Amino acid sequence: MLRNYQKKLIKSLGMKIEKEAKVTLIGAGPGSSDLITVRGLKALKAADVVLYDALIGEELLRQMDTRIPKIYVGKRCGQHAFTQDDINVLIVEKAFEHGHVVRLKGGDPFVFGRAHEEIDYVESFGIPVTVVPGVSSAIAVPSGQGIPMTRRGVSSSFWVMTATKRDGSFSEDLKFASQSSATMVILMGVRKLAEISAEVSKYRGSLTPMAVIQNGTMQNESCIVGTLGDVASAISDIDTSKPGIIVIGDVVAEHPSFFEEEVQRVLHSSL
């Protein structure tokens, strides 16, 4: 049964309900279209309308019926197609209008995906929400480069964090993680790579291995490996306008090219 405030909203929007309103939040995985889960792909193909983020590849969207509306609601640094409040309202409107809304997010919905904000808003209208977990880029992207999160005798834990808080200042987690021996995985921090390296270097040596991975799991994936002390030279090879994942810790030395790159840097510096 529809509640009174739902009926009022539908009437104000001039909508006619033909299908049951429901929402599915799907984690699309780290980038490559074939890394979505089987359950996620099944739910995606059952959608009546899809709202998708910036990191969703066109190849994944092409697996759907071309008649299904696909609405881009992505947010990149300085380029927000919609605010979070706009997205919340749009999900509800499209659920009443079309029926089954799929909210397609990169990685996993609950890893810096603001999923709870959307769920709370949607459920306040009596619309049921289902969550399909996704493969988090925080783990999958380094793994694809041969960088483990943990390794016996090297690192027994890992810490996933964003570099900065809402006001632009460094998160306290960055300091606490730097003081530990854990592998550090930093999301949404490429623009402040130099500052991050300087902050972490206060607690870890300049020879601590570091990697910056962009376009993870995609054909144009790139990975720059080095050390905290090499960050100045590494920045010239990184497109800071694009998102990426920063990995700091001794496990980065497991990358196949780490020691080769280090030898080249030593030889170059001695010339």
Side-chain angles (χ1 to χ4, degrees):
M1 295 291 292
L2 291 176
R3 300 176 183 178
N4 288 334
Y5 61 84
Q6 289 178 278
K7 293 178 180 178
K8 290 178 181 178
L9 175 61
I10 295 166
K11 185 176 180 180
S12 68
L13 295 172
M15 296 177 181
K16 178 183 178 182
I17 291 216
E18 296 182 353
K19 294 185 178 181
E20 176 189 1
K22 63 179 181 178
V23 173
T24 303
L25 270 63
I26 300 176
S32 181
S33 63
D34 59 356
L35 288 177
I36 190 172
T37 65
V38 174
R39 182 184 299 180
L41 185 59
K42 182 178 179 180
L44 179 61
K45 290 184 176 181
D48 295 314
V49 59
V50 176
L51 278 62
Y52 66 97
D53 279 347
L55 299 178
I56 304 302
E58 289 294 328
E59 185 178 345
L60 180 58
L61 296 175
R62 284 197 294 268
Q63 296 190 45
M64 300 179 57
D65 190 321
T66 56
R67 295 169 294 181
I68 301 299
K70 305 169 188 67
I71 304 170
Y72 174 74
V73 294
K75 297 194 291 290
R76 286 185 183 263
C77 185
Q79 300 178 4
H80 290 191
F82 292 85
T83 66
Q84 187 60 54
D85 288 341
D86 291 336
I87 294 172
N88 294 345
V89 172
L90 191 60
I91 293 172
V92 171
E93 289 182 354
K94 294 304 177 183
F96 286 142
E97 182 180 358
H98 292 279
H100 183 199
V101 173
V102 160
R103 179 72 175 95
L104 193 59
K105 294 172 170 287
D108 180 88
F110 285 119
V111 180
F112 303 114
R114 303 185 72 169
H116 269 302
E117 296 176 42
E118 296 177 358
I119 293 171
D120 290 346
Y121 187 84
V122 171
E123 288 185 340
S124 74
F125 287 87
I127 301 173
V129 180
T130 300
V131 178
V132 179
V135 178
S136 175
S137 61
I139 299 174
V141 170
S143 294
Q145 282 288 333
I147 300 173
M149 292 294 93
T150 62
R151 181 173 177 178
R152 187 188 296 265
V154 179
S155 175
S156 60
S157 62
F158 59 95
W159 199 318
V160 180
M161 72 204 81
T162 56
T164 57
K165 298 183 290 188
R166 183 177 298 181
D167 62 5
S169 63
F170 279 133
S171 166
E172 287 296 308
D173 287 346
L174 185 68
K175 173 183 176 180
F176 296 146
S178 299
Q179 294 174 330
S180 75
S181 60
T183 301
M184 299 173 64
V185 183
I186 305 168
L187 308 181
M188 299 174 279
V190 172
R191 287 174 178 266
K192 291 196 172 185
L193 179 60
E195 295 94 321
I196 290 169
S197 177
E199 181 68 17
V200 178
S201 293
K202 295 177 182 178
Y203 310 99
R204 300 195 185 193
S206 62
L207 295 179
T208 300
M210 178 185 69
V212 179
I213 310 167
Q214 295 182 290
N215 299 311
T217 74
M218 307 293 284
Q219 289 186 346
N220 59 338
E221 179 175 3
S222 65
C223 180
I224 305 297
V225 295
T227 63
L228 289 175
D230 295 326
V231 70
S233 59
I235 287 178
S236 61
D237 297 322
I238 297 170
D239 185 351
T240 56
S241 67
K242 295 181 180 179
I245 293 176
I246 302 169
V247 186
I248 300 174
D250 290 339
V251 292
V252 175
E254 300 298 320
H255 189 279
S257 66
F258 177 77
F259 286 106
E260 179 182 343
E261 293 290 334
E262 281 301 291
V263 169
Q264 292 298 323
R265 274 187 284 273
V266 170
L267 291 175
H268 180 75
S269 64
S270 64
L271 295 178

